[in-house]
Amino acid sequence: PRQARADASVRAVQIYYSERLWVPASWWVIGMFFAVSFVSAVGLYAGPMVSAVASLVTAGCVAAALVAYGNYRIEVDADGLHAGRAVLDWASTGDAVALDREATGVRLGTGADPSGWLAIRGYVHEAVEVTLTDPDDPHPYWLVSTRRPADLLAAIERARQARAKGPEVSAS
């Protein structure tokens, strides 16, 4: 049997929070309804063989789109706050606040700054806002969708505290 070797270039990172913002089940129902209605129209016009192929292709495309859109990860680790592929390092962060549904709506509407950076999914109605302290960053804040704003906020605080303490050195 092969033994796994640890790669020296890979380092262990403490993950304080991780959430994937999957699309809700209702979106799957709507997406598949679209696929069925599209295939019905094609099937009536082109015949059963074309309809069968169109069914598979359309359902596959709808499923791929829903999985891709819902495969959005929010993560807090020692390096920073990750929203999808974007990373906000701890040195650039200021205050963070959890927003309920109403406050998120205001922050996305009349209370929005057009230069704010948004990691929003329309089917997630709560968010966390993180103010940026870097004067060279064009974004004054990040607004990040989350289903668990209090947990995300607590993880941000834990990661900041761990960073402030610095790496732990073992006495040997």
Side-chain angles (χ1 to χ4, degrees), residues 73-92:
R73 182 177 292 281
I74 306 299
E75 200 165 79
V76 174
D77 64 21
D79 294 333
L81 171 62
H82 301 257
R85 294 183 192 161
V87 180
L88 177 59
D89 62 55
W90 296 123
S92 301

Side-chain angles (χ1 to χ4, degrees), residues 80-115:
L81 171 62
H82 301 257
R85 294 183 192 161
V87 180
L88 177 59
D89 62 55
W90 296 123
S92 301
T93 63
D95 295 333
V97 61
L99 303 176
D100 62 11
R101 184 182 188 129
E102 183 178 337
T104 299
V106 168
R107 205 62 176 123
L108 288 171
T110 58
D113 182 330
S115 60

Side-chain angles (χ1 to χ4, degrees), residues 74 81 83 117 119-120 126-130 142-146 152:
I74 306 299
L81 171 62
W117 190 84
I120 297 297
E126 296 175 317
V128 168
E129 180 179 335
V130 181
W142 272 28
L143 190 63
V144 181
S145 287
T146 177
L152 177 54

Side-chain angles (χ1 to χ4, degrees), residues 18-154:
S18 183
E19 175 182 14
R20 195 169 301 267
L21 300 179
W22 296 113
V23 296
S26 62
W27 282 39
W28 284 92
V29 171
I30 293 167
M32 289 306 135
F33 179 76
F34 165 77
V36 167
S37 64
F38 176 77
V39 168
S40 296
V42 169
L44 289 173
Y45 178 73
M49 183 55 96
V50 173
S51 180
V53 172
S55 297
L56 294 175
V57 170
T58 305
C61 289
V62 168
L66 291 173
V67 167
Y69 190 70
N71 194 18
Y72 199 77
R73 182 177 292 281
I74 306 299
E75 200 165 79
V76 174
D77 64 21
D79 294 333
L81 171 62
H82 301 257
R85 294 183 192 161
V87 180
L88 177 59
D89 62 55
W90 296 123
S92 301
T93 63
D95 295 333
V97 61
L99 303 176
D100 62 11
R101 184 182 188 129
E102 183 178 337
T104 299
V106 168
R107 205 62 176 123
L108 288 171
T110 58
D113 182 330
S115 60
W117 190 84
L118 306 177
I120 297 297
R121 290 296 184 252
Y123 49 86
V124 179
H125 304 292
E126 296 175 317
V128 168
E129 180 179 335
V130 181
T131 305
L132 304 188
T133 58
D134 182 357
D136 296 328
D137 196 312
H139 309 292
Y141 60 87
W142 272 28
L143 190 63
V144 181
S145 287
T146 177
R147 289 186 173 101
R148 303 183 328 258
D151 293 344
L152 177 54
L153 184 60

